[in-house]
Amino acid sequence: MSLTVLFAARNDDWHTYHEALEQAFAAAELDADLVTTADPEEVDYIVYSPSSSLQDFTPYTKLKAVLSLWAGVERIVSNPTLTMPLVRMVDPGMTQSMVEWVTGHVMRYHLGMDDHIVNPGHAWRPKAAPLARQRSVCILGLGALGRSAALTLKALNFNVTGWSRSPKEIKDIETFHGPEGLTGALRHAEIVVLLMPDTPQTENTLNKETLALLPKGARILNPGRGPLIDDYALLDALDSGQIAHATLDVFRVEPLPPDHPYWAHPKVTVTPHIAAATQAATASVEIANNIRRGEAGEALLNLVDRSQGY
Ligand code: NAP
């Protein structure tokens, strides 16, 4: 009997994913009906984004798993009706996109590009950048995205450190973990990249005290989630010169309200949550593979650990 896979996201997501999912299901030899409406009792899997009108999972009595289209699951994980296995999105296309965003913005800071791109007075300031190996970059979060970003920056010769909840071993990268490891990770970091999930434990990871641990004039990149940074502490640190500049892709409230101080701040670059979108073609292959695994009795990949919230 064929499986029923319900696609529950925004209407325009359906246009983006419909064909890619059908192709991926065919390639995985899945006998599955991909639908946007169904009798809840007939649904085997749900491909899901939190922007969907589906918020009550109680009627889905046969549901085997919910497969998120998003990497961040903070808006789903606390839904008390969602008791079935929840899979977060790990998509090689999205990972590549994040690596490119991080690398581009690290290079902007490393090379001091702004001095020359915006130079209305035609100032002549011949000061070459140091080599990448003389520049310390710290990645907070060494999961699917942070680890790939760290490896790419290491391949460019940056002096990379990383921090995560549990211990990690990554060749040529000094790693730290747990609350007690954060000081060591930040102490020499001239550029800090935040790639952690939004959980009660990660909220305000960068705050007044931890921003003060950084070398004066450090730069911040946040493509993770807005609550990872205490906004007021960051604004104070920018104004005092402790932090030289921040590039922020994610915010506590999105879209970032027009009167938010970040928009007008001369030391802040705002990008509108575009660091890494899920890529339909590659993400669909991951979804199809996970459904195939579920049907074959194999463990699902990238299951959310509800006790950790990510
Ligand atoms: P992931 O694979 O789950 O990795 C998360 C990393 O954060 C892991 O290394 C984890 O440590 C670490 N972490 C979690 N809680 C921690 C804590 N309390 N202390 C220290 N480290 C902690 O997630 P991912 O796929 O790399 O994605 C990371 C985040 O990026 C997502 O949650 C999402 O918020 C964001 N994102 C943003 C965009 C965008 O366009 N801006 C796109 C995609 C994703 P362990 O390794 O020990 O578990």
Side-chain angles (χ1 to χ4, degrees):
M1 210 170 79
S2 68
L3 297 166
T4 300
V5 179
L6 178 66
F7 186 87
R10 291 179 315 199
N11 287 344
D12 51 344
D13 286 331
W14 175 244
H15 297 297
T16 309
Y17 282 95
H18 181 195
E19 222 175 284
L21 280 168
E22 293 283 14
Q23 281 175 8
F25 287 1
E29 298 183 355
L30 283 178
D31 180 11
D33 288 332
L34 180 64
V35 294
T36 52
T37 52
D39 175 354
E41 293 182 2
E42 297 301 317
V43 173
D44 295 284
Y45 294 90
I46 298 180
V47 176
Y48 187 70
S49 112
S51 354
S52 162
S53 56
L54 195 177
Q55 298 296 327
D56 181 6
F57 291 86
T58 319
Y60 294 84
T61 49
K62 193 180 153 197
L63 190 60
K64 297 173 191 166
V66 171
L67 302 123
S68 171
L69 286 173
W70 296 7
V73 291
E74 68 279 357
R75 281 174 59 190
I76 322 176
V77 79
S78 54
N79 184 329
T81 69
L82 208 176
T83 53
M84 309 77 185
L86 172 62
V87 173
R88 66 196 185 80
M89 178 52 70
V90 175
D91 159 26
M94 176 168 58
T95 302
Q96 181 61 28
S97 177
M98 183 61 82
V99 167
E100 290 174 11
W101 187 94
V102 169
T103 306
H105 288 280
V106 165
M107 290 310 275
R108 170 192 176 192
Y109 285 149
H110 171 59
L111 296 177
M113 290 183 187
D114 291 21
D115 287 351
H116 312 292
I117 293 171
V118 182
N119 185 8
H122 301 172
W124 190 255
R125 290 174 294 218
K127 183 170 178 279
L131 293 175
R133 68 168 179 256
Q134 296 160 316
R135 180 80 70 192
S136 292
V137 184
C138 175
I139 314 280
L140 300 180
L142 292 171
L145 302 178
R147 186 188 180 94
S148 293
L151 289 170
T152 298
L153 294 172
K154 187 70 222 177
L156 290 170
N157 277 338
F158 283 99
N159 182 10
V160 183
T161 59
W163 183 67
S164 50
R165 188 175 55 80
S166 56
K168 297 274 177 293
E169 269 187 41
I170 310 177
K171 189 172 178 294
D172 295 333
I173 294 179
E174 191 181 5
T175 56
F176 299 83
H177 68 276
E180 65 291 348
L182 186 57
T183 303
L186 293 180
R187 201 171 13 221
H188 303 295
E190 298 168 86
I191 302 173
V192 179
V193 184
L194 292 110
L195 274 170
M196 293 184 295
D198 173 11
T199 70
Q201 288 71 36
T202 60
E203 183 166 13
N204 295 333
T205 295
L206 288 190
N207 54 36
K208 189 175 176 208
E209 289 73 34
T210 52
L211 286 166
L213 295 172
L214 293 163
K216 193 168 173 66
R219 282 137 166 121
I220 311 285
L221 298 177
N222 187 11
R225 281 293 182 261
L228 299 177
I229 300 181
D230 175 339
D231 293 323
Y232 296 104
L234 176 58
L235 287 164
D236 283 350
L238 287 163
D239 291 341
S240 73
Q242 169 61 13
I243 301 301
H245 203 276
T247 297
L248 310 172
D249 186 58
V250 285
F251 306 91
R252 285 169 197 262
V253 178
E254 295 184 9
L256 186 65
D259 58 349
H260 196 286
Y262 283 150
W263 279 118
H265 202 291
K267 294 180 181 174
V268 175
T269 297
V270 170
T271 63
H273 202 143
I274 42 82
T278 308
Q279 306 289 312
T282 45
S284 296
V285 172
E286 300 303 312
I287 290 169
N289 183 40
N290 244 339
I291 295 178
R292 184 201 59 71
R293 290 177 69 95
E295 291 307 295
E298 297 169 24
L300 295 174
L301 302 176
N302 307 314
L303 275 176
V304 170
D305 176 348
R306 287 193 166 81
S307 68
Q308 298 298 339
Y310 68 97

